[in-house]
Amino acid sequence: MKPGGRFRTPLLMAIFSLINSAASAEASRPRHSPGLHWAAPAAGAGGSVPWNIVVLLTLLTLLPALVISITPFTRLLIVFHFLRQALGTQTAPSNQTLIGLSLVLTYFLMQPVGNSIYQSAVVPFERGQIDVWEAIEQGTPPVRHFMLKFAREKDLALFLELAQAPAPARPEDVPMRVVIPAYILSELKTGFQIGAALFLPFLVIDLVVAAVTTSIGMLQLPPVMISTPMKILLFVMVDGWNLLVGSLLKSFA
């Protein structure tokens, strides 16, 4: 007998016994008479229940994109990626770490807005005072106010022109289809501005190290091998994470 034969035989016997037990259970299950049929629960008029499920699943699919679009997540993540490129560390911190940090800071910044939405829309909806669409309408003003606070007038004017919409008399009259893309463009510009400012001190270190290594004839040693530890050491000495995160959060104050 092969060395593993004595282990295979009990295993095969156990599998066959499970199959026989399942077959016996299926045979002993009571059968329905041919005249009886099980009917599915009736949906609402026009099949509203399946359509509600489809709409809900679609909204859940679009939820990450909405979170990225109407929150500070975009600016934070862009700045953190620029910082990693400026330091010269390819995978440290990892993408998961940067995304997690951006999500935590986004939650910290958006908590007051979330509380306003909860008090004005969620609480009346739970009490049955308003329906879903009214809850959405009452929960929109806090988000619109937050985005208008950081959207540039130039971007708002661009999308108002593209939408062929009249100039609003009040900020509350600006439609969301104009506010959201304008806010995204403004956040992209601000994120790239902060990233460019972050690059400057580290670029100076790269230039100095490259000039020194070239002048002393160290052509075989890449300057990055020397400049990267120096940049990391400088960033740690000045407590760079505290300064960067503090400046980012203050920019949303």
Side-chain angles (χ1 to χ4, degrees), residues 5-68:
R6 58 179 180 178
F7 297 104
R8 294 176 185 172
T9 301
L11 179 60
L12 292 175
M13 293 178 63
I15 293 174
F16 282 124
S17 63
L18 289 175
I19 295 174
N20 292 331
S21 300
S24 301
E26 181 67 21
S28 61
R29 183 180 299 175
R31 304 294 181 179
H32 299 288
S33 61
L36 296 178
H37 301 282
W38 291 95
S48 60
V49 174
W51 278 112
N52 289 339
I53 295 175
V54 171
V55 172
L56 178 60
L57 293 178
T58 303
L59 292 178
L60 290 178
T61 304
L62 298 176
L63 184 60
L66 292 176
V67 171
I68 293 174

Side-chain angles (χ1 to χ4, degrees), residues 24 85 93 99 105 148 155 179 186 227 236 240 247:
S24 301
Q85 295 294 326
I99 292 174
L105 295 179
L148 287 175
D155 296 327
V179 176
S186 302
S227 63
V236 173
S247 299

Side-chain angles (χ1 to χ4, degrees), residues 59 121 130-141:
L59 292 178
I130 57 176
D131 57 6
V132 177
W133 298 111
E134 292 177 351
I136 294 175
E137 292 179 357
Q138 295 187 14
T140 302

